[in-house]
Amino acid sequence: MKKLFALVLALAMVLTCAAALAEDYTVYLVTMDLEDMHWVSVNAGAEDAVAEAKEAGVDLRYVWVGPTTGKNDAAQIECINNAYADNADVILLASNGPDTEVATIEEYTADGVGFVYVDSPANTPALQTLATDNTAAGKLAGETLLAALTEAGITEGKVGIVNINTSTVSTQNRETGFRAAFEGTAFEILETQYGDGDAAKSQEIATNFITEGCVALFGANEGATVGVGNAIAAEGENSGIYGVGFDKSDAILNLVVDGWLVATTAQNPYNMGYYGIKTAVEFLTNGTTEFEDMDTGVTMLTAEYIAENGLL
């Protein structure tokens, strides 16, 4: 009888251990949309880190979701709710705005879900923020544009900014940095106009800026940058208008190579996704909750840089 009891106990322990080993984790990436190449790159980094985790024996289920209707607060909150309903253990989140999702994040954090901010944080604590120092990056973009204007002998004039909206913290910080680069100069930075990240709408805004007599334009994200570049291209070779932007897509790189943009400020979204998954795995497997925030950095991509590094 004792031997039978011991056998049953041993079997129970084996089954318990097997269940523990078979335990899988679910990690979601929730971005502002699913189309912008920036988010595609974040997802690529996350997928590579997931593959590495699986090779190391971590049973990880990974899902990428985002609004299909553009940058929509309600739709993004629904994505977070759906991730929670699907038993997400960690959510990598690029928050649409600083305050719109705070209540949702705090509710699910209290229930044990870990949040990692990628690119754009909300105004409530998370395990970690992996993002560009957007103020510094915006200033670098402004300094690059200012240097090009100075080299061309242009020392004054109007400058237009095409941004996404007033609530996206990352692009607002870029604008702050960009404006700082022109402080103390004779250039006049006009009131910012918003194109919702849509290239066609941004081009229309940029064209209006050109009609107002702007000598230079700044696009704060991918859609805005494509719109700015296309508006300058439509003016032709002798327009004398200079532009600089943010993010890296083939459309933007071609605008730089063709001379319609001085440069574009390329973030490292791949690193956001890659290290976001690394943080998630460390949190899930070792219970680590203290992580340092990471500045994932930027690179100014000029036509020369693009050619030298074979980016097209």
Side-chain angles (χ1 to χ4, degrees):
M1 189 69 178
K2 287 182 178 179
K3 288 184 177 180
L4 180 60
F5 177 76
L7 180 61
V8 171
L9 181 61
L11 180 59
M13 290 177 67
V14 168
L15 291 174
T16 301
C17 290
L21 291 173
E23 181 180 10
D24 63 297
Y25 302 110
T26 297
V27 177
Y28 265 71
L29 169 65
V30 180
T31 55
M32 296 180 185
D33 61 56
L34 299 175
E35 298 176 353
D36 195 309
M37 287 305 299
H38 181 79
W39 308 124
V40 173
S41 295
V42 173
N43 175 60
E47 288 183 334
D48 284 351
V50 167
E52 290 180 10
K54 289 181 177 180
E55 288 176 4
V58 180
D59 192 352
L60 198 63
R61 184 169 72 94
Y62 168 73
V63 184
W64 175 33
V65 296
T68 57
T69 55
K71 294 174 176 61
N72 182 305
D73 291 344
Q76 192 178 53
I77 290 173
E78 183 179 358
C79 288
I80 299 171
N81 290 337
N82 290 341
Y84 176 77
D86 193 31
N87 298 312
D89 298 290
V90 175
I91 298 174
L92 276 58
L93 174 64
S95 180
N96 263 8
D99 301 313
T100 54
E101 292 146 2
V102 167
T104 303
I105 294 167
E106 290 180 346
E107 177 186 350
Y108 296 154
T109 297
D111 201 28
V113 178
F115 279 84
V116 178
Y117 295 132
V118 290
D119 184 77
S120 183
N123 281 337
T124 190
L127 292 171
Q128 186 181 41
T129 297
L130 298 154
T132 304
D133 183 337
N134 282 290
T135 303
K139 187 173 183 180
L140 179 60
E143 290 169 346
T144 301
L145 182 58
L146 184 58
L149 290 166
T150 302
E151 184 177 347
I154 303 172
T155 57
E156 61 181 0
K158 298 177 181 178
V159 178
I161 297 174
V162 184
N163 207 329
I164 302 177
N165 52 45
T166 59
S167 62
T168 302
V169 175
S170 57
T171 55
Q172 287 296 309
N173 288 343
R174 292 170 198 171
E175 179 183 328
T176 297
F178 179 83
R179 288 179 176 275
F182 282 84
E183 289 178 0
T185 72
F187 290 95
E188 177 189 359
I189 310 295
L190 299 183
E191 182 178 349
T192 301
Q193 299 297 312
Y194 302 97
D196 300 319
D198 179 78
K201 187 174 180 179
S202 296
Q203 180 175 349
E204 182 179 349
I205 292 169
T207 299
N208 290 338
F209 272 135
I210 292 171
T211 300
E212 287 185 57
C214 284
V215 297
L217 302 171
F218 171 54
N221 83 319
E222 182 181 334
T225 300
V226 172
V228 164
N230 286 341
I232 295 173
E235 295 297 309
E237 293 183 4
N238 299 317
S239 68
I241 302 163
Y242 291 75
V244 71
F246 247 87
D247 293 329
K248 180 183 69 175
S249 65
D250 284 350
I252 292 175
L253 295 180
N254 278 307
L255 286 166
V256 175
V257 169
D258 292 341
W260 305 120
L261 294 172
V262 171
T264 187
T265 317
Q267 302 180 83
N268 292 308
Y270 177 94
N271 287 346
M272 298 175 190
Y274 181 84
Y275 289 109
I277 293 294
K278 293 289 188 182
T279 294
V281 170
E282 177 65 21
F283 168 71
L284 293 171
T285 59
N286 294 322
T288 305
T289 57
E290 297 293 329
F291 298 90
E292 290 188 6
D293 292 344
M294 180 186 297
D295 174 12
T296 48
V298 296
T299 303
M300 292 305 302
L301 304 184
T302 62
E304 182 180 4
Y305 185 98
I306 293 168
E308 288 178 352
N309 290 275
L311 299 183
L312 278 176

